[in-house]
Amino acid sequence: MGSENVSKGQLWTGRVLSGLVILFLLFDGVIKFFLDKLPPEAQAEGAKLGYPPEVMPYLGTVLIVSTLLYAFPRTAVLGATLLTGYLGGAVATHVRVLNPLGSHILFPIYLGIILWAGLYLRFPKLREITPLQK
C-alpha cells in the first residue's frame, strides 16, 4: 500500500494523525513497565482497573508491538487491526469498572477513529475496500 494517488495534504494529515496515535500509545505501553515507580495516586488509578501489577508489562509489550506494527507502512493495517482489538478491551475494562463515559469509556474509541482516519488518508487502497461510498 503505497502513497500513490494521495494528495500531499491528505498524506501529511494522515501522517500527523498516525504520528499522534503512535506517540501516545508508545508512551502508554512504556508506562506499563514502570507503574510501581509512579506516585501512589497513579498506582491507585491503575489498580482500579482490576489488573494485577505483574500483568501490566505483558499488556505494555502487546501495546508496543502492535503500535510498532502500525507505525511501519508494510504492516500498518495489521497493526491497526491489533490495536483496534486492544482498544476494544480498554473500552470493556472501563465499562466493567464503571468509569465515566466521556473521559474514560469513549477515549479508546476516539483513539481508534483517529488511528483509522490516519491510515485511511495515507493509503488509497484502504479506501477501495471501506464501506464509504461516493
Side-chain angles (χ1 to χ4, degrees), residues 24-42:
F24 176 80
L25 292 177
L26 286 177
F27 174 77
D28 189 35
V30 169
I31 284 295
K32 291 185 181 351
F33 286 92
F34 301 103
L35 284 178
D36 58 335
K37 294 173 181 41
L38 293 176
E41 302 82 29

Side-chain angles (χ1 to χ4, degrees), residues 90-115:
V91 170
T93 297
H94 287 296
V95 167
R96 183 179 55 79
V97 298
L98 302 174
N99 274 331
L101 178 69
S103 61
H104 288 69
I105 294 172
L106 293 178
F107 184 76
I109 295 171
Y110 302 146
L111 206 55
I113 290 169
I114 296 168
L115 179 147

Side-chain angles (χ1 to χ4, degrees), residues 43-63:
Q43 290 180 22
E45 187 64 30
K48 181 182 169 191
L49 297 178
Y51 293 110
E54 57 272 7
V55 170
M56 299 312 281
Y58 296 112
L59 290 175
T61 301
V62 169
L63 182 55

Side-chain angles (χ1 to χ4, degrees), residues 8-31:
K8 284 188 180 191
Q10 287 176 327
L11 182 62
W12 278 102
T13 302
R15 286 177 178 169
V16 168
L17 291 175
S18 294
L20 291 172
V21 169
I22 290 165
L23 288 174
F24 176 80
L25 292 177
L26 286 177
F27 174 77
D28 189 35
V30 169
I31 284 295

